[in-house]
């Protein structure tokens, strides 16, 4: 899946393979309800850098599942690149001196695949290049795991975005 909606086809496929069509339909109903719930709220726009790795620092392209999940709460990932573009990576490396970084409102430090910690966040808060940027840890499982985590992941992101808006 490249977007949360892609889980509907995944549930149907798994339901058919394992003879669990009723359970798959139930999951699809729950996912559709969550997608409707998130879509009916007005989310303030945010430009975010979602860090997934350190040494080198790496982020996500806009055509990843993670970026699509974040768009549900109106968070646009930077840099504005798709991994399918010629020469572009789905998980590009970056540095805080990149020209596009000035547009970032919020830096999200994921818990996976690299486990960023509060100590990493504190170090970044002291970096003058990040002055004025919100820096926060985010549960990478909830933002990136499709299938079994999709429904719970959307609920998590709604609560997380609401919490972050007050900070």
């Amino acid at each position: 899946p490249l977007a949360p909606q892609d889980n509907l086809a995944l549930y149907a496929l798994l339901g058919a393979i394992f003879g669990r069509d009723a359970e798959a339909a139930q999951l699809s109903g729950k996912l559709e309800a969550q997608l409707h719930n998130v879509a009916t709220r007005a989310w303030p726009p945010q430009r975010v850098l979602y860090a997934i790795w350190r040494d080198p620092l790496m982020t996500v392209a806009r055509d990843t599942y993670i970026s699509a999940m974040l768009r549900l709460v109106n968070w646009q990932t930077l840099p504005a690149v798709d991994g399918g573009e010629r020469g572009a990576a789905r998980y590009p490396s970056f540095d805080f001196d990149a020209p596009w970084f000035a547009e970032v409102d919020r830096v999200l430090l994921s818990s996976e695949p690299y486990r960023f910690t509060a100590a990493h966040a504190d170090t970044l808060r002291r970096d003058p290049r990040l002055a004025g940027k919100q820096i926060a840890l985010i549960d990478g499982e909830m933002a990136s795991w499709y299938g079994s985590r999709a429904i719970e992941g959307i609920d998590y992101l709604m609560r997380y975005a609401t919490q972050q808006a007050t900070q």
Side-chain angles (χ1 to χ4, degrees):
L2 294 177
Q5 298 81 350
D6 295 346
N7 286 291
L8 296 170
L10 177 64
Y11 296 159
L13 175 64
L14 293 174
I17 289 171
F18 294 106
R20 300 290 190 181
D21 294 324
E23 291 88 344
Q26 193 174 43
L27 280 174
S28 291
K30 288 179 181 178
L31 178 61
E32 287 172 337
Q34 279 292 56
L35 289 168
H36 175 76
N37 189 21
V38 72
T40 59
R41 295 197 37 199
W43 299 99
Q46 289 279 293
R47 294 166 300 196
V48 302
L49 171 67
Y50 187 97
I52 63 165
W53 199 256
R54 181 172 177 258
D55 268 338
L57 287 167
M58 295 173 73
T59 186
V60 297
R62 286 194 170 168
D63 60 346
T64 60
Y65 185 84
I66 295 167
S67 189
M69 283 286 283
L70 296 174
R71 280 193 302 274
L72 292 176
V73 294
N74 205 17
W75 289 3
Q76 301 299 318
T77 55
L78 290 174
V81 56
D82 287 333
E85 294 174 2
R86 186 172 182 211
R90 288 186 52 119
Y91 304 100
S93 59
F94 70 93
D95 64 59
F96 295 119
D97 296 318
W100 56 263
F101 186 71
E103 299 176 35
V104 170
D105 300 312
R106 183 177 304 277
V107 176
L108 301 174
L109 303 174
S110 181
S111 63
E112 73 157 50
Y114 182 87
R115 182 168 295 281
F116 286 98
T117 66
H120 294 112
D122 290 341
T123 298
L124 291 179
R125 286 185 190 105
R126 291 190 299 272
D127 188 323
R129 297 172 298 174
L130 280 71
K133 313 275 187 213
Q134 295 293 319
I135 300 168
L137 300 174
I138 187 167
D139 186 333
E141 288 183 21
M142 292 296 111
S144 67
W145 286 21
Y146 53 86
S148 64
R149 294 281 200 287
I151 297 164
E152 185 182 352
I154 294 169
D155 182 60
Y156 168 83
L157 280 176
M158 288 190 298
R159 287 182 283 111
Y160 184 81
T162 300
Q163 173 201 26
Q164 292 296 305
T166 63
Q167 296 180 356

